[in-house]
Amino acid sequence: MAKRILSGIQPTSDSFHLGNYLGALKQWVELQEGNDAFYCIVDLHALTGEIDPALLRKRILASAAQLIALGISPEKSTLFVQSHVSEHNQLGWIMECIAGFGEANRMTQFKDKSAKGGADSARVGLFTYPMLQAADILLYQAHYVPVGEDQRQHIELTRDLATRFNTRFGDTFQIPEGYILKSGAKIYDLQEPRNKMSKSSGSAAGVLEILDTPEANAKKIKSATTDAGREVRFDEKDKPGISNLLTIHSALSGKKISELENEFAGQGYGDFKGAVAEVVVEYLRPIRARALELLEDERNLVQILHIGADKARTVASKTVAESYKNLGLVL
Ligand code: TYM
């Protein structure tokens, strides 16, 4: 039976990176077939960091263009921007009133991000971020939430909040499940292969961007940090760099890791990195071209997003009404 799918991505950089794609967006594309999928550019979440208005606007549109270029079809899925559907804020507040301060305080992403900028510069919105994320998911009664490994704790919190609400106020929310792959759920920085590939914390040379030129991406792969030894073998503990490149190659080429190990047996790291560069570059080339083409017609992109928001609102407003009613608010 068709399942309800919901996921979101922040428009916080000029380009999505390969970690976003392999950890989440590739599954977004697959799950839109035969399911009822809602995909959201979470611009309100992006306000929890530094705000540059001109840049934010540009990045929201670039996010939409990339999602479509990567294969999200506005006909098959509901593609929309979070701020266009005010129900996110409405249910977000309810979630803040359901969540305990202690449990919010245990969120590791908040701890990491606030530690990085210094506790004084962290915003209240960064602290309440996971409750807004819970609202994003619960509004659509989602069964599955395709995300990377770093979102596991936020999904757990969402499940806890939904269960608590249902128990206390009556069945209102579907309890969602994370849809997290075994392989690809964590893609690592090419320069520091023990850290995740990340737009905020990764090194510029370690992050493969969807909208970067093919030459730039090829160069980054060829200068990726490799490990001691010469064998192309998957071993995350002792060979994190090579293992990461094997994961990337396998996810994009569809070849099994064991097949790749055989294919490159006896060859050096240089040959292997050249092959990975070619797979990545050829995979991304048409996607980049399509995204840049879509960005030339801003009005068309905005129109697609408005149509998506109208569809999203129909579902979201029902959930808000139901939760308000169950809370005893007078409708
Ligand atoms: P965000 O915008 O940081 O990342 C978008 C998606 O990309 C995944 N991801 C990765 N996967 C594998 N390897 C990596 N190196 C890597 N880096 C990022 C993330 O896990 C995510 O799935 N809080 C969310 C956005 C959000 C959301 C939601 C997600 C807001 N509301 C509702 C799902 C449902 C975030 O910051 O993702």
Side-chain angles (χ1 to χ4, degrees):
M1 215 187 75
K3 295 286 183 197
R4 184 59 67 71
I5 312 294
L6 177 290
S7 198
I9 188 161
Q10 295 195 66
T12 41
S13 63
D14 293 337
S15 170
F16 295 147
H17 57 70
L18 202 65
N20 297 134
Y21 180 61
L22 296 181
L25 305 178
K26 193 160 179 279
Q27 288 65 256
W28 291 22
V29 175
E30 286 161 14
L31 287 169
Q32 65 184 346
E33 304 300 331
N35 290 306
D36 186 14
F38 286 73
Y39 297 130
C40 183
I41 298 166
V42 291
D43 55 349
L44 298 174
H45 278 104
L47 299 178
T48 58
E50 269 320 303
I51 305 168
D52 177 331
L55 211 51
L56 181 58
R57 182 171 200 288
K58 185 171 155 243
R59 288 171 170 180
I60 293 168
L61 293 170
S63 299
Q66 287 175 88
L67 290 173
I68 297 169
L70 285 164
I72 300 299
S73 150
E75 282 85 43
K76 289 183 191 161
S77 306
T78 302
L79 175 64
F80 67 105
V81 175
Q82 187 183 30
S83 65
H84 291 176
V85 183
S86 50
E87 282 78 0
H88 288 255
N89 302 78
Q90 294 179 292
L91 193 63
W93 175 250
I94 306 294
M95 289 300 132
E96 286 180 33
C97 295
I98 298 297
F101 192 85
E103 68 187 340
N105 213 16
R106 283 194 291 277
M107 295 295 112
T108 55
Q109 269 206 345
F110 171 72
K111 286 192 205 164
D112 292 349
K113 286 193 183 175
S114 56
K116 225 168 272 156
D120 286 344
S121 70
R123 319 274 162 71
V124 175
L126 187 63
F127 185 70
T128 58
Y129 178 119
M131 280 58 81
L132 181 59
Q133 178 163 350
D136 299 340
I137 298 168
L138 300 177
L139 274 177
Y140 300 94
Q141 308 287 359
H143 297 98
Y144 294 115
V145 186
V147 284
E149 183 60 45
D150 61 358
Q151 296 302 312
R152 192 181 285 279
Q153 198 188 27
H154 288 166
I155 308 288
E156 272 313 307
L157 176 72
T158 304
R159 290 168 56 86
D160 290 347
L161 296 179
T163 307
R164 192 174 310 153
F165 190 105
N166 286 353
T167 309
R168 174 78 179 79
F169 303 108
D171 242 2
T172 311
F173 301 116
Q174 170 70 34
I175 309 296
E177 275 178 50
Y179 185 96
I180 304 174
L181 293 190
K182 283 206 180 66
S183 174
K186 195 162 182 184
I187 299 295
Y188 296 87
D189 186 289
L190 298 182
Q191 289 298 319
E192 297 157 32
R194 295 198 189 272
N195 298 339
K196 74 169 179 178
M197 188 177 281
S198 157
K199 44 204 169 193
S200 52
S201 59
S203 57
V207 177
L208 292 170
E209 299 197 335
I210 310 274
L211 294 182
D212 225 341
T213 62
E215 296 73 31
N217 276 334
K219 193 165 161 224
K220 286 181 184 176
I221 295 169
K222 287 179 187 160
S223 39
T225 302
T226 39
D227 318 288
R230 328 190 34 219
E231 237 184 312
V232 176
R233 181 168 50 82
F234 192 87
D235 176 345
E236 281 193 302
K237 191 167 153 282
D238 291 331
K239 289 173 166 278
I242 290 296
S243 302
N244 191 37
L245 292 176
L246 277 166
T247 303
I248 291 174
H249 189 314
S250 165
L252 296 181
S253 67
K255 292 184 183 172
K256 289 203 192 83
I257 301 244
S258 56
E259 243 176 273
L260 293 171
E261 286 173 333
N262 287 336
E263 189 178 327
F264 291 97
Q267 296 187 43
Y269 286 165
D271 293 332
F272 173 58
K273 288 203 271 187
V276 176
E278 185 162 331
V279 167
V280 171
V281 162
E282 291 316 316
Y283 195 93
L284 293 184
R285 194 189 298 280
I287 293 168
R288 173 176 188 263
R290 178 79 183 113
L292 295 181
E293 189 187 9
L294 283 160
L295 275 171
E296 279 170 22
D297 191 350
E298 214 177 280
R299 275 184 47 188
N300 174 50
L301 280 177
V302 173
Q303 199 187 2
I304 289 173
L305 294 171
H306 282 163
I307 293 172
D310 288 343
K311 285 201 271 172
R313 211 175 291 116
T314 319
V315 178
S317 58
K318 268 202 205 118
T319 309
V320 166
E322 179 77 6
S323 65
Y324 275 17
K325 186 178 85 191
N326 291 347
L327 285 165
L329 300 181
V330 176
L331 298 185

